């Protein structure tokens, strides 16, 4: 028996079983708001997915914040990863330490520190403080992903472009960035995933803005409607589609 394959299948089952339950219960037909026991199969929740305006607003907040986080942290993380992977400068080790500290620090510590910072600066917490906070803890993930790719790049390709008359910006746009694109996309998708499902840090800095995880937590006391499972399933399928597109584009660029 191939125990390695058995362990892999068991690990995947452990990871995906909750997602399968969520998808299955998006087709459940409960009698009330408590969607915790199977009572029948129905498609009507997909047709009635937008029945709760507060839930729709929370999902819009989560998706828009995650998209902004992906774009901003993707741009900053790409430049930071390129600098860390290619150049030697004063403070490089300190920068690495700060990045890994942001990744390894407990989220409750980061959330409390960010809230204290905003209060000391007299900044009202809300939508944009949530965006800033998500960018802060996501940029390190993007930078580390890009830096790992930068280290493996062949510098002779960029040297050949410069020998052929390309300037620094043209070389970066036509040679360096296409080679970095799979890592940039991977880091950006990771930032999107980390942002959209964050609860702890968001609960500290969101103010009166409600995101999808915060809305779910708030409604657990009265019962989670099936629309939550519908939106969670659709969101998971969108993430899978983006991951597949990233893999296909990465293979085409090899």
């Amino acid at each position: 028996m191939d125990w390695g394959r058995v362990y892999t299948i068991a690990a995947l089952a452990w990871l995906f079983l909750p997602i399968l339950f969520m998808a299955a219960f998006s087709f459940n037909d409960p009698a009330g708001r408590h969607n915790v026991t199977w009572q029948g199969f129905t498609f009507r929740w997909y047709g009635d997915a937008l029945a709760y305006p507060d839930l729709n607003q929370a999902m819009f907040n989560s998706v828009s914040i995650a998209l902004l986080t992906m774009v901003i942290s993707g741009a900053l993380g790409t430049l930071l990863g390129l600098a860390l992977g290619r150049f030697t400068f004063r403070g490089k080790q300190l920068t690495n330490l700060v990045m890994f500290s942001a990744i390894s620090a407990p989220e409750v510590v980061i959330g409390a520190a960010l809230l204290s910072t905003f209060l000391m600066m007299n900044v009202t917490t809300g939508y944009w403080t949530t965006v800033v906070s998500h960018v802060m803890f996501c940029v390190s993930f993007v930078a580390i992903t890009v830096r790992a790719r930068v280290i493996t790049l062949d510098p002779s390709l960029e040297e050949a472009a410069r020998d052929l008359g390309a300037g620094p910006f043209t070389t970066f746009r036509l040679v360096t960035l296409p080679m970095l694109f799979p890592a940039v996309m991977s880091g950006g998708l990771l930032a999107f995933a980390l942002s959209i499902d964050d609860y702890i840090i968001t609960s500290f800095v969101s103010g009166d803005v409600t995101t999808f995880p915060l809305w779910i937590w708030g409604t657990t006391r009265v019962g989670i409607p099936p629309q939550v499972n519908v939106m969670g399933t659709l969101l998971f399928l969108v993430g899978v589609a983006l991951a597949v597109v990233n893999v296909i584009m990465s293979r085409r660029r090899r």
Side-chain angles (χ1 to χ4, degrees):
M1 180 180 293
D2 188 353
W3 288 105
R5 180 174 298 179
V6 173
Y7 292 149
T8 302
I9 294 175
L12 291 175
W14 175 262
L15 291 173
F16 285 100
L17 193 60
I19 298 175
L20 293 177
F21 273 109
M22 176 189 67
F25 274 84
S26 69
F27 298 100
N28 188 27
D29 190 14
R33 288 177 59 93
H34 296 277
N35 186 23
V36 293
T37 57
W38 185 262
Q39 300 181 26
F41 186 88
T42 181
F43 283 105
R44 69 190 181 100
W45 304 122
Y46 281 85
D48 199 23
L50 304 179
Y52 294 89
D54 292 342
L55 175 59
N56 302 335
Q57 183 62 46
M59 176 58 77
F60 174 80
N61 290 337
S62 286
V63 173
S64 60
I65 290 171
L67 288 173
L68 287 171
T69 301
M70 180 178 68
V71 172
I72 299 173
S73 63
L76 296 177
T78 298
L79 297 176
L80 183 58
L82 183 62
L84 291 173
R86 176 159 296 177
F87 305 107
T88 301
F89 53 89
R90 181 178 299 176
K92 181 176 180 179
Q93 297 302 321
L94 179 60
T95 304
N96 284 321
L97 177 62
V98 171
M99 285 199 312
F100 283 103
S101 297
I103 293 174
S104 60
E107 289 193 1
V108 66
V109 174
I110 297 177
L114 287 168
L115 177 60
S116 300
T117 301
F118 292 137
L119 292 177
M120 287 188 295
M121 297 176 63
N122 292 322
V123 176
T124 302
T125 56
Y127 184 91
W128 290 108
T129 56
T130 306
V131 172
V132 170
S133 301
H134 285 201
V135 170
M136 188 281 301
F137 72 81
C138 286
V139 68
S140 298
F141 291 92
V142 180
I144 290 173
T145 304
V146 173
R147 185 185 63 174
R149 175 60 178 160
V150 170
I151 295 174
T152 63
L153 293 182
D154 185 1
S156 62
L157 298 176
E158 296 172 296
E159 293 173 0
R162 289 193 292 268
D163 289 341
L164 293 173
F169 178 75
T170 303
T171 301
F172 176 79
R173 181 172 60 89
L174 298 180
V175 179
T176 308
L177 186 58
M179 292 190 294
L180 291 177
F181 186 77
V184 174
M185 279 295 296
S186 299
L189 292 176
L190 180 59
F192 181 89
L194 291 170
S195 172
I196 203 167
D197 73 346
D198 181 76
Y199 173 82
I200 298 177
I201 294 177
T202 304
S203 65
F204 279 92
V205 301
S206 61
D208 59 354
V209 173
T210 302
T211 60
F212 187 53
L214 295 180
W215 193 91
I216 294 174
W217 172 252
T219 196
T220 53
R221 291 168 290 182
V222 295
I224 299 177
Q227 283 83 353
V228 170
N229 299 74
V230 172
M231 290 189 175
T233 301
L234 295 176
L235 192 61
F236 173 74
L237 293 177
V238 170
V240 171
L242 291 174
V244 170
V245 170
N246 185 37
V247 171
I248 293 174
M249 296 181 65
S250 299
R251 290 181 176 178
R252 287 183 177 179
R253 291 176 179 273
R254 290 180 179 175

